[in-house]
Amino acid sequence: MSVRPPGSVPRLSRRSKILIGIGVALIVLLLVGPRLIDTYISWEWFKSLGFGSVYSTVLWTRIITFLVVGLVVGGIIFAAIVLAYRMRPVFVPMAGEHDVLARYRALVMSRRKTFGLAVPVLVGLISGLVAQSDWQMIQLFLHAKPFDESVNDPQFDKNIGFYAFELPFIKFVLTWLFVALIVSFFASLVTHYLFGGIRLAGRSGNLTRAARAQLAIIAGVFLLLKAVAYWFDRYSLLSSTDKYPMFTGAGYTDINAVLPSKMILLAIAVICAAVFFAAIVLRDLRIPALAVALMVFSSVIIGAVYPLIVEQFSVKPNAAQKEAEYIKRNITATRAAYGITDANVDYVKYAGVGSKSPQDVPADETTVENLRLLDPNIISPTFTQQMQLKNFYGFPKTLSIDRYKVDGEMRDFIVAARGLNPQSLTGNQTDWINKHTVYTHGNGFVAAQANTIRTGGDGDGDAGGYPVYQVSDLSTKPTIPALEVDNPRIYFGELISNTPDDYAIVGAAGDEPREYDSETGERYTYEGSAGVSVGNWFNRLAFAVKYTERNFLFSDAIGDDSKILFNRDPRDRVKKVAPWLTTDTSAYPAVIDGKIKWIVDAYTTLENYPYAQRSSLAGLMTDSIDAATGRPLPQKEVSYIRNSVKATVDAFDGTVTLYQVDQSDPVLNTWMDVFPGVVKPESAISPELRAHFRYPEDLFKVQREMLAKYHVDDPNEFFTNNAFWSVPSDPTSDTDANQPPYYVLRGDPQTAEPQFDLTSPMRGYQREFLSAYISVSSDPKTYGQFTVLTLPTNTQTQGPGQMQNSMTSDSKVSQDVALLGQTNTLTFGNLLTLPIADGGILYVEPLYTEQKSTSGNTFPRLSRVLMSYTDPNGVVKVGYAPTASEALKQIFGPGVANLATREVDEGGAPVEPAPTPAPGGDQAGGGAPSPSPSPTPAPTTPPPARGDEQAAVQGIDSALKNLQSAQSSGNFGDYGKALENLQKAIENYEKVTGNTGG
């Protein structure tokens, strides 16, 4: 008896089939076309940089992974469906004339290939697409290098490489086999049901022997795989986060309850698998059903309830003792994973109170001489206003710090590349021709010595408080030879790639140069090696589609020799050519062998280092600067990190070079085996390049967070948290974000030579008092060596927040700040913490003012320097003056102040500090005056007459009233004159009270 399908299938005409085919082809082209174009363009870009092998390796790994996983998963499902179909009963009894199942069976029979392939192909495609994103894990497994055997895991004594490279791959394979078996089971179940292998009649049912055998085999294999998974789950316990944030890794419950449970469940899974295999010959389905119930019941009771009971009734009441061994494991592993072992961290006891004069400590002379007055996070607008040259040039929001030799002495500089800023183009500058073929590059390297400021000239108060620049561009040469640049044109920089279409088309297109090059109107044609050719029509078409821009096809600005420059941000270039690395959030420019090169730090990371603390990089790296600038942070969790690669990007030709700087990192060694020849050995680093390597800020932020806890050795003390430290909040920020670390040039305690360090104070756990001071060296000879000054717990050395409050609440400071704030926007710069005076702590903070104006043309200048120091008697002494030397004199006397004469006049000549009286006591509010450390009394200046001071104050009050009247009148001419008069009144007040200096 034949059965009609649920409905007749209409036949399509040939014309309809052609139209449908064209429509499908167009849809596929729209979906796949852009990806194919991106693939081609990416290949051309990688090839132009010499990293074609990276792209091809990644691409082929993705393709092969996609095919293997897709074919395996799809093939298993297809085989299950085919077997179920072939083992269908020969005769399927009808349930009646209106048997719906029969009608669907007929429909499937009419389209057997379609229905038979649809599920396997769909699931296989999805599986392959998901799996190919794990290409890094697969390559790590294929090229795994072992870790040092001295750090094998403490539980199973297996090499760390097993957890880093092999275990993730094993879990990857098991996951996709589970997916294939689960889908196969249900596909087989549906197929058998549809073709009569499974029949339901009322509350009972019946299975054919073939259906029972196939389903039992699939279930049995699934349980065997589950047993294998239980075996490897034991190793995953060592990266457990159940006890996070206290510690990562297996605790007492995991080792003594969960681990035995895994083995018991493994045995039960094997027994249940055997039961299912037995069901092939047994007709009683209750036995497999009991096996399923046993498996579920065991998983709940043995796998979950029993460990919970142990945790609640055995561990928690005695946690300090029970978890001690496992906390110790966590401490050891975390130190090793984050590079903070005793081999590179030196703990030194520090008094917190000075016992000598800085004059008597050779290292202090170097430290005081190099006090940094310029804050790179504040003075970018000053660089822009004074060194911009053209509206389309600019500087990053946050500038960088590096060091160069001046007359044979190491000095730190605020450095920046004057880059092209496409966001600043206006009017006809934004025309496609101008934006992409005329304004193509920046011009020059700008540096300012960090401890030097320009003082005010005679009658010109606006000349003071600004940087003293060293410029190397097309028209200027610096006075310091180390800063001179041969080719100052900047085609690759931080500002250029702010939007996806910030590309430049360079190269000859006609006889005349087209690119803007200098203020004299000269034009230039790019002569570098960077770029992808757009001289042929195929490439033009590809880029026209990529950027949806028809000018690629019709513009005469593009010639046969033209090239396109894109991906021009240094960090992005490094990230693309080395996708297995995590790049630092900032890059900094340096002059190396007469070339401007961007230096980018890059990290190797792991997520599953056994027993090492797992943390979010974004959470550990965030500080007040990141909060203010909004720069993106890496969104990944890690339990291992190394700064094993330093990368350089040439600002002119975009060349990316990767250097190995940690030969002991097995993760990098593995990647170097995956991509041979891509990372250059450490021996290829020139001494001049190495001299500009800085210890990276992001890595330091991660490590200081770890040191805040993992400096503790005793597990019981670790458990109580009472010896932990905390990163202080930034007292100069309105947010509660962490204080960022600061680069400082200070004296080496042993040699007194300048040492370029990255530093951070640490406060006590949920306390504001200073507990430690962490510094790490960036000098080539001691690079990466930490020094941790630990303060005694029975003293109360003021931390950054407390000292900021002490300085700003000082009567002299508060009055002057209030006065300055009437006409200026005030910004407190970075609060530097400096060990000094053989046990003491000196805080230094610049104060910047920016005149309030509606024109928007104002910019910050250094107006005051705040300092504070607690003397041996416990008296907090505050220095507050326009210059660092005067502020030092107020605290230590003229002997120390003379070390910091780094102010220069408008001609660049050094300015000696003016003699000022030392403060007469505790500047924070009372106290006996402390003895001067110098045997010679400081010269004094007669105090100003009281009447002169009152007259000056009255002059300011009068000027303020005139300013308010002018503002109310709406006359901009009167308003400008009133502002000018107010500024003169303030200068008069400063002169009368002795606070001159601009």
Side-chain angles (χ1 to χ4, degrees), residues 335-356:
R335 289 177 176 178
Y338 288 91
I340 51 174
T341 63
D342 292 340
N344 60 327
V345 179
D346 187 17
Y347 294 92
V348 179
K349 293 183 179 180
Y350 197 73
V353 178
S355 58
K356 297 180 181 179

PDB file of all heavy atoms in Angstrom, residues 335-356:
ATOM      1  N   ARG A 335      54.478  32.987  42.272  1.00  0.00           N
ATOM      2  CA  ARG A 335      55.756  33.704  42.134  1.00  0.00           C
ATOM      3  C   ARG A 335      56.488  33.261  40.861  1.00  0.00           C
ATOM      4  O   ARG A 335      57.058  34.089  40.140  1.00  0.00           O
ATOM      5  CB  ARG A 335      56.625  33.465  43.360  1.00  0.00           C
ATOM      6  CG  ARG A 335      56.132  34.149  44.624  1.00  0.00           C
ATOM      7  CD  ARG A 335      57.015  33.787  45.811  1.00  0.00           C
ATOM      8  NE  ARG A 335      56.616  34.499  47.028  1.00  0.00           N
ATOM      9  CZ  ARG A 335      57.192  34.333  48.204  1.00  0.00           C
ATOM     10  NH1 ARG A 335      58.194  33.464  48.335  1.00  0.00           N
ATOM     11  NH2 ARG A 335      56.790  35.017  49.254  1.00  0.00           N
ATOM     12  N   ALA A 336      56.468  31.964  40.601  1.00  0.00           N
ATOM     13  CA  ALA A 336      57.150  31.463  39.403  1.00  0.00           C
ATOM     14  C   ALA A 336      56.439  31.907  38.130  1.00  0.00           C
ATOM     15  O   ALA A 336      57.086  32.281  37.146  1.00  0.00           O
ATOM     16  CB  ALA A 336      57.230  29.935  39.451  1.00  0.00           C
ATOM     17  N   ALA A 337      55.117  31.892  38.134  1.00  0.00           N
ATOM     18  CA  ALA A 337      54.349  32.196  36.929  1.00  0.00           C
ATOM     19  C   ALA A 337      54.401  33.669  36.565  1.00  0.00           C
ATOM     20  O   ALA A 337      54.359  34.031  35.382  1.00  0.00           O
ATOM     21  CB  ALA A 337      52.895  31.754  37.112  1.00  0.00           C
ATOM     22  N   TYR A 338      54.497  34.545  37.565  1.00  0.00           N
ATOM     23  CA  TYR A 338      54.493  35.989  37.307  1.00  0.00           C
ATOM     24  C   TYR A 338      55.886  36.610  37.391  1.00  0.00           C
ATOM     25  O   TYR A 338      56.020  37.833  37.331  1.00  0.00           O
ATOM     26  CB  TYR A 338      53.545  36.692  38.281  1.00  0.00           C
ATOM     27  CG  TYR A 338      52.092  36.435  37.987  1.00  0.00           C
ATOM     28  CD1 TYR A 338      51.425  35.367  38.568  1.00  0.00           C
ATOM     29  CD2 TYR A 338      51.381  37.252  37.110  1.00  0.00           C
ATOM     30  CE1 TYR A 338      50.079  35.117  38.300  1.00  0.00           C
ATOM     31  CE2 TYR A 338      50.052  37.013  36.830  1.00  0.00           C
ATOM     32  CZ  TYR A 338      49.405  35.945  37.430  1.00  0.00           C
ATOM     33  OH  TYR A 338      48.064  35.707  37.147  1.00  0.00           O
ATOM     34  N   GLY A 339      56.907  35.789  37.520  1.00  0.00           N
ATOM     35  CA  GLY A 339      58.269  36.295  37.499  1.00  0.00           C
ATOM     36  C   GLY A 339      58.647  37.136  38.689  1.00  0.00           C
ATOM     37  O   GLY A 339      59.339  38.148  38.552  1.00  0.00           O
ATOM     38  N   ILE A 340      58.193  36.743  39.879  1.00  0.00           N
ATOM     39  CA  ILE A 340      58.506  37.507  41.097  1.00  0.00           C
ATOM     40  C   ILE A 340      59.109  36.570  42.149  1.00  0.00           C
ATOM     41  O   ILE A 340      58.771  36.644  43.330  1.00  0.00           O
ATOM     42  CB  ILE A 340      57.259  38.234  41.643  1.00  0.00           C
ATOM     43  CG1 ILE A 340      56.078  37.270  41.790  1.00  0.00           C
ATOM     44  CG2 ILE A 340      56.889  39.405  40.767  1.00  0.00           C
ATOM     45  CD1 ILE A 340      54.853  37.882  42.459  1.00  0.00           C
ATOM     46  N   THR A 341      60.007  35.721  41.707  1.00  0.00           N
ATOM     47  CA  THR A 341      60.678  34.799  42.629  1.00  0.00           C
ATOM     48  C   THR A 341      61.820  35.523  43.338  1.00  0.00           C
ATOM     49  O   THR A 341      62.189  36.655  43.009  1.00  0.00           O
ATOM     50  CB  THR A 341      61.219  33.582  41.875  1.00  0.00           C
ATOM     51  OG1 THR A 341      62.200  34.029  40.931  1.00  0.00           O
ATOM     52  CG2 THR A 341      60.103  32.859  41.136  1.00  0.00           C
ATOM     53  N   ASP A 342      62.421  34.828  44.301  1.00  0.00           N
ATOM     54  CA  ASP A 342      63.548  35.411  45.037  1.00  0.00           C
ATOM     55  C   ASP A 342      64.745  35.685  44.135  1.00  0.00           C
ATOM     56  O   ASP A 342      65.621  36.470  44.497  1.00  0.00           O
ATOM     57  CB  ASP A 342      63.963  34.471  46.172  1.00  0.00           C
ATOM     58  CG  ASP A 342      62.906  34.373  47.265  1.00  0.00           C
ATOM     59  OD1 ASP A 342      62.065  35.292  47.340  1.00  0.00           O
ATOM     60  OD2 ASP A 342      62.911  33.384  48.017  1.00  0.00           O
ATOM     61  N   ALA A 343      64.791  35.052  42.968  1.00  0.00           N
ATOM     62  CA  ALA A 343      65.917  35.267  42.058  1.00  0.00           C
ATOM     63  C   ALA A 343      65.935  36.674  41.484  1.00  0.00           C
ATOM     64  O   ALA A 343      67.006  37.189  41.139  1.00  0.00           O
ATOM     65  CB  ALA A 343      65.869  34.248  40.923  1.00  0.00           C
ATOM     66  N   ASN A 344      64.776  37.305  41.361  1.00  0.00           N
ATOM     67  CA  ASN A 344      64.750  38.651  40.776  1.00  0.00           C
ATOM     68  C   ASN A 344      64.021  39.671  41.648  1.00  0.00           C
ATOM     69  O   ASN A 344      63.739  40.777  41.194  1.00  0.00           O
ATOM     70  CB  ASN A 344      64.109  38.621  39.379  1.00  0.00           C
ATOM     71  CG  ASN A 344      62.685  38.126  39.401  1.00  0.00           C
ATOM     72  OD1 ASN A 344      62.343  37.288  40.217  1.00  0.00           O
ATOM     73  ND2 ASN A 344      61.856  38.619  38.516  1.00  0.00           N
ATOM     74  N   VAL A 345      63.692  39.310  42.888  1.00  0.00           N
ATOM     75  CA  VAL A 345      63.085  40.259  43.815  1.00  0.00           C
ATOM     76  C   VAL A 345      63.935  40.303  45.071  1.00  0.00           C
ATOM     77  O   VAL A 345      64.136  39.283  45.740  1.00  0.00           O
ATOM     78  CB  VAL A 345      61.631  39.876  44.171  1.00  0.00           C
ATOM     79  CG1 VAL A 345      61.047  40.888  45.155  1.00  0.00           C
ATOM     80  CG2 VAL A 345      60.773  39.800  42.913  1.00  0.00           C
ATOM     81  N   ASP A 346      64.432  41.472  45.380  1.00  0.00           N
ATOM     82  CA  ASP A 346      65.297  41.660  46.550  1.00  0.00           C
ATOM     83  C   ASP A 346      64.527  42.474  47.584  1.00  0.00           C
ATOM     84  O   ASP A 346      64.173  43.634  47.340  1.00  0.00           O
ATOM     85  CB  ASP A 346      66.580  42.392  46.132  1.00  0.00           C
ATOM     86  CG  ASP A 346      67.584  42.469  47.270  1.00  0.00           C
ATOM     87  OD1 ASP A 346      67.447  41.707  48.233  1.00  0.00           O
ATOM     88  OD2 ASP A 346      68.508  43.319  47.200  1.00  0.00           O
ATOM     89  N   TYR A 347      64.239  41.887  48.726  1.00  0.00           N
ATOM     90  CA  TYR A 347      63.519  42.570  49.797  1.00  0.00           C
ATOM     91  C   TYR A 347      64.534  43.228  50.742  1.00  0.00           C
ATOM     92  O   TYR A 347      65.446  42.571  51.239  1.00  0.00           O
ATOM     93  CB  TYR A 347      62.640  41.591  50.574  1.00  0.00           C
ATOM     94  CG  TYR A 347      61.504  41.022  49.758  1.00  0.00           C
ATOM     95  CD1 TYR A 347      61.656  39.822  49.061  1.00  0.00           C
ATOM     96  CD2 TYR A 347      60.280  41.678  49.682  1.00  0.00           C
ATOM     97  CE1 TYR A 347      60.611  39.298  48.309  1.00  0.00           C
ATOM     98  CE2 TYR A 347      59.235  41.163  48.928  1.00  0.00           C
ATOM     99  CZ  TYR A 347      59.410  39.974  48.244  1.00  0.00           C
ATOM    100  OH  TYR A 347      58.384  39.461  47.503  1.00  0.00           O
ATOM    101  N   VAL A 348      64.355  44.524  50.954  1.00  0.00           N
ATOM    102  CA  VAL A 348      65.270  45.300  51.793  1.00  0.00           C
ATOM    103  C   VAL A 348      64.460  46.024  52.860  1.00  0.00           C
ATOM    104  O   VAL A 348      63.462  46.693  52.549  1.00  0.00           O
ATOM    105  CB  VAL A 348      66.064  46.329  50.958  1.00  0.00           C
ATOM    106  CG1 VAL A 348      66.988  47.152  51.849  1.00  0.00           C
ATOM    107  CG2 VAL A 348      66.846  45.628  49.856  1.00  0.00           C
ATOM    108  N   LYS A 349      64.871  45.893  54.110  1.00  0.00           N
ATOM    109  CA  LYS A 349      64.192  46.605  55.187  1.00  0.00           C
ATOM    110  C   LYS A 349      64.529  48.083  55.110  1.00  0.00           C
ATOM    111  O   LYS A 349      65.684  48.468  54.887  1.00  0.00           O
ATOM    112  CB  LYS A 349      64.597  46.035  56.548  1.00  0.00           C
ATOM    113  CG  LYS A 349      64.101  44.611  56.781  1.00  0.00           C
ATOM    114  CD  LYS A 349      64.467  44.123  58.169  1.00  0.00           C
ATOM    115  CE  LYS A 349      63.929  42.704  58.398  1.00  0.00           C
ATOM    116  NZ  LYS A 349      64.280  42.203  59.752  1.00  0.00           N
ATOM    117  N   TYR A 350      63.508  48.911  55.305  1.00  0.00           N
ATOM    118  CA  TYR A 350      63.670  50.357  55.158  1.00  0.00           C
ATOM    119  C   TYR A 350      62.980  51.039  56.333  1.00  0.00           C
ATOM    120  O   TYR A 350      61.847  50.706  56.674  1.00  0.00           O
ATOM    121  CB  TYR A 350      63.057  50.810  53.836  1.00  0.00           C
ATOM    122  CG  TYR A 350      63.508  52.179  53.376  1.00  0.00           C
ATOM    123  CD1 TYR A 350      64.784  52.376  52.871  1.00  0.00           C
ATOM    124  CD2 TYR A 350      62.642  53.264  53.421  1.00  0.00           C
ATOM    125  CE1 TYR A 350      65.203  53.622  52.429  1.00  0.00           C
ATOM    126  CE2 TYR A 350      63.044  54.516  52.974  1.00  0.00           C
ATOM    127  CZ  TYR A 350      64.328  54.697  52.477  1.00  0.00           C
ATOM    128  OH  TYR A 350      64.734  55.928  52.046  1.00  0.00           O
ATOM    129  N   ALA A 351      63.657  52.019  56.926  1.00  0.00           N
ATOM    130  CA  ALA A 351      63.161  52.610  58.176  1.00  0.00           C
ATOM    131  C   ALA A 351      61.910  53.449  57.977  1.00  0.00           C
ATOM    132  O   ALA A 351      61.014  53.468  58.829  1.00  0.00           O
ATOM    133  CB  ALA A 351      64.262  53.463  58.816  1.00  0.00           C
ATOM    134  N   GLY A 352      61.813  54.166  56.842  1.00  0.00           N
ATOM    135  CA  GLY A 352      60.687  55.070  56.646  1.00  0.00           C
ATOM    136  C   GLY A 352      60.925  56.455  57.218  1.00  0.00           C
ATOM    137  O   GLY A 352      60.131  57.373  56.997  1.00  0.00           O
ATOM    138  N   VAL A 353      62.007  56.620  57.968  1.00  0.00           N
ATOM    139  CA  VAL A 353      62.389  57.915  58.553  1.00  0.00           C
ATOM    140  C   VAL A 353      63.867  58.132  58.254  1.00  0.00           C
ATOM    141  O   VAL A 353      64.696  57.261  58.516  1.00  0.00           O
ATOM    142  CB  VAL A 353      62.138  57.951  60.074  1.00  0.00           C
ATOM    143  CG1 VAL A 353      62.591  59.285  60.650  1.00  0.00           C
ATOM    144  CG2 VAL A 353      60.670  57.712  60.385  1.00  0.00           C
ATOM    145  N   GLY A 354      64.203  59.301  57.713  1.00  0.00           N
ATOM    146  CA  GLY A 354      65.569  59.585  57.341  1.00  0.00           C
ATOM    147  C   GLY A 354      66.486  59.712  58.550  1.00  0.00           C
ATOM    148  O   GLY A 354      66.104  60.230  59.597  1.00  0.00           O
ATOM    149  N   SER A 355      67.721  59.230  58.388  1.00  0.00           N
ATOM    150  CA  SER A 355      68.705  59.316  59.463  1.00  0.00           C
ATOM    151  C   SER A 355      69.895  60.182  59.081  1.00  0.00           C
ATOM    152  O   SER A 355      70.771  60.430  59.908  1.00  0.00           O
ATOM    153  CB  SER A 355      69.201  57.918  59.844  1.00  0.00           C
ATOM    154  OG  SER A 355      69.776  57.272  58.721  1.00  0.00           O
ATOM    155  N   LYS A 356      69.936  60.651  57.812  1.00  0.00           N
ATOM    156  CA  LYS A 356      71.037  61.486  57.351  1.00  0.00           C
ATOM    157  C   LYS A 356      70.486  62.631  56.515  1.00  0.00           C
ATOM    158  O   LYS A 356      69.322  62.635  56.119  1.00  0.00           O
ATOM    159  CB  LYS A 356      72.024  60.660  56.502  1.00  0.00           C
ATOM    160  CG  LYS A 356      72.718  59.527  57.220  1.00  0.00           C
ATOM    161  CD  LYS A 356      73.658  58.789  56.275  1.00  0.00           C
ATOM    162  CE  LYS A 356      74.352  57.632  56.974  1.00  0.00           C
ATOM    163  NZ  LYS A 356      75.254  56.876  56.046  1.00  0.00           N
TER     164      LYS A 356
END
